[in-house]
Each structure stands twice: as C-alpha cells, then as structure tokens.
Amino acid sequence: MKHSFSVGWIPTQMPLADAWGRRVRYLRLSLAAACSMRCLYCRPTTSDYCDQEGMLTAIEIETLARHMVRRHGLQKIRLTGGEPRSRCDLLEIISRLARIVRLNDLAVTTNGLTLAASAYDYAAAGLSRVNISLDTLDRERFARMTGVDGLNRVVKGIDTALAVGLSPVKLNTVVIRGENEEELPALVDFAAARGIAIRFIELMPMGPLASQWDQRYVSADEIRWRLADVVADWQARPQGTQSAKQYAATLTDGRQVSIGFITPMSCHFCSACDRLRLTSDGAIYPCLMGAPSGSIMSALRPTFDADGLDMLLKQALAGKAAQHPAQGAVSMTQIGG
Ligand code: SAM
C-alpha cells in the first residue's frame, strides 16, 4: 500500500548515535581529495584536477543530506577536502544544500586561493560561513609551506568573504615548530584588524609530518604563552560541541579578538564529538584519525535506499572508538579537517 502524506508532514526523527551515546548532528563532507596547495603537513596525493568519476554527485549529496536532516536531525554540514573548490560543481552543491529546510548551518573550509572570485556567488547561493586556512603572513614562507606563491590571493579572498557578508569568517592556523611559531602575534593582529576570529590548531600526527610530530608539534599552552605579550585578557567562552576552545581576548592595545585553540592532541574533545565524516568516494569515517568504516555508495546507486543507508551508517558508528587513536590512519587531505 502506498502512503500519502499531507503537506508539512514531518517524519519521526531517528537520531543517529554511536555506541557511546554520542549523537551525530554534524556531517563533514570531503568533496575531493585534490587540492591546489601542497601544504607540508598535509600534501594531497593528487593535483588540483577535477575528475569527478566515482565521486558523490551533487544530486547524491543533496539526497543524502536531505535524508540525514529529515530522519536523523542533522543540523550542520561543512564542505571540506582536499580543497572543495577542486570540484567544478561546488556552487551547485552549495545551492542544493542551502535549500534544505532545518539544515541550520552550511559552511566551507577552503585554502582561500580562489575565494576572491567566488565568495559573492557562494553567499548568493546560500552559504552561511567560511573557514580559511592561513598559516603565515610572510610571502616566501607561505610559498614554502603551501607550494604556491598565493598569499596575496588568499588575503584578497579573506577580505572578499568579509565584504560579501559571509559570517563569521574564521581563520585556521596550524602551528608548526620551525615554521610559523614566531608569527602568532602577527596573525592575531591580522585577525583583530579585520574583526575576524582566529583558531590555532595543534599539529596532528597524520600526513607527511606524522613521523616528525614530536619535534614539530606546538601545544596550545605554548601558543598562549607566545601570545602573552599581545593579549592582556582571556575570557573563556562556552565550548559546547565545538572543536575550538574559544576566548574573547583583549589585546594590549585595547582591541578585542576571538581566539580559539583546537587541541586534538593536548586536550582532546572526543567525548563531545557529534561528527560523522564522509569522503567524496562515499567512504565513512566515524573518527577523523580512524580508518574508514565501509562506504555509503551501495545505498546511493543505482537508486537511493534510505534504510540501506541507515544500516551502513549505524554499522560504522557502532565501531567508533571512545577516543581518537594516537596516530591518524590517513592524511587530512583525504578526509578533510
Ligand atoms: N583545503 C581546505 C583548507 O585548506 O582549509 C580544506 C581541507 S584542509 C585538510 C582542512 C584543515 O586541516 C586546514 O585548516 C589544515 O590546515 C588542517 N590540517 C591538515 N593537516 C593537518 C594536520 N596534520 N594537523 C592539523 N591540522 C591539519
């Protein structure tokens, strides 16, 4: 018998949770492993090449997201990579997802290289906000750390994102000993001058620097210590399920700036983890540092099988560890940060 539903009918929600009772509310979707940068701690295995064969299509992404919002109460989606902009249909994906009712938060994490040209279109298509990676303000160091002489383009991208009203704009800075640890006050000044938030990320033992992690890692405590000359006061803000410990910082010159610390190594936030990660080929990663646990592709092709998808997601979540492993299983470029 066919069911008929009246307009406005909302199906019963079936929360998705792991074996430890942590509920999934947040999907991080890596749209492509390719990236136009080759950051020394991440380094994609592929170039900025948009080969979409075998990847989730824009329609499949929308179908999946609609299902997860409607049936599982998903609230947030972050598009990441690799570099999301490696996908030529990124704008279409944004506009499809932005139309989903009750998806409260749609964000992109980007290297910012092409943002100056596309931020307006993303905002018009319904993107809420953007995180941009910026590890240095020194042009030569930027080129060395990322493999691209692109500092000016990224700064222009940041300023354009602000000008078109993407809000909030946040900077992500991975701190690496021997590279940028002396630059932290300058980066805070850059953020304060624009009224944007900056988050310092502890290097994780995954990707090309995994074997040198002991020598390259800088803890959040040390980062705070390195900012002691420029920050006069730290007011902690509630963290909730956010990955960053946030502070409303007052600088010694009186300016206010939001500074966050993402501390997966010194003080992990696994107990509050509400994330599920999928890669562009449909692989399911219950944990950022864990191995993949199955694939959703068989539930998407040849036609969408909602119950089959739920079974695959539940199976993957059932095996999610209480805490992330000591070393990442894959590079961040595959799974997305
Ligand atoms: N291409 C986009 C970008 O540049 O933001 C999105 C993907 S990138 C993998 C996402 C974030 O992961 C970036 O902020 C990057 O700095 C961070 N990341 C990559 N490898 C990391 C590692 N080993 N430890 C900590 N953060 C890392």
Side-chain angles (χ1 to χ4, degrees), residues 29 42 45 69 95 98 139 150 161 164 169 175 202 263 266 288 330:
L29 182 57
C42 191
T45 47
V69 169
S95 69
R139 184 177 161 188
V164 302
V169 172
V175 185
E202 290 179 344
T263 58
S266 67
L288 176 62
V330 293

Side-chain angles (χ1 to χ4, degrees), residues 28 78-84 107-111 129-133 172 337:
R28 291 208 175 187
R78 173 171 298 282
L79 303 174
T80 176
E83 171 54 39
V108 165
T109 299
T110 175
N111 62 29
R129 59 200 187 84
V130 70
N131 288 3
I132 303 161
S133 297
N172 284 341

Side-chain angles (χ1 to χ4, degrees), residues 296-323:
I296 59 166
M297 276 308 191
S298 63
L300 293 177
R301 294 178 189 177
T303 52
F304 181 56
D305 170 7
D307 294 331
L309 175 69
D310 289 352
M311 201 183 69
L312 292 166
L313 295 178
K314 281 177 190 159
Q315 270 169 3
L317 283 166
K320 180 167 175 168
Q323 199 178 314

Side-chain angles (χ1 to χ4, degrees), residues 34-35 37 39 41-43 79-84 109-112 131-135 172-174 201-209 264 331-337:
C35 184
M37 288 186 180
C39 295
Y41 49 84
C42 191
R43 276 206 190 123
L79 303 174
T80 176
E83 171 54 39
T109 299
T110 175
N111 62 29
N131 288 3
I132 303 161
S133 297
L134 181 70
D135 296 338
N172 284 341
T173 302
V174 181
I201 305 175
E202 290 179 344
L203 180 69
M204 297 171 76
M206 53 201 297
L209 290 189
S331 158
M332 199 81 93
T333 190
Q334 278 168 273
I335 184 170

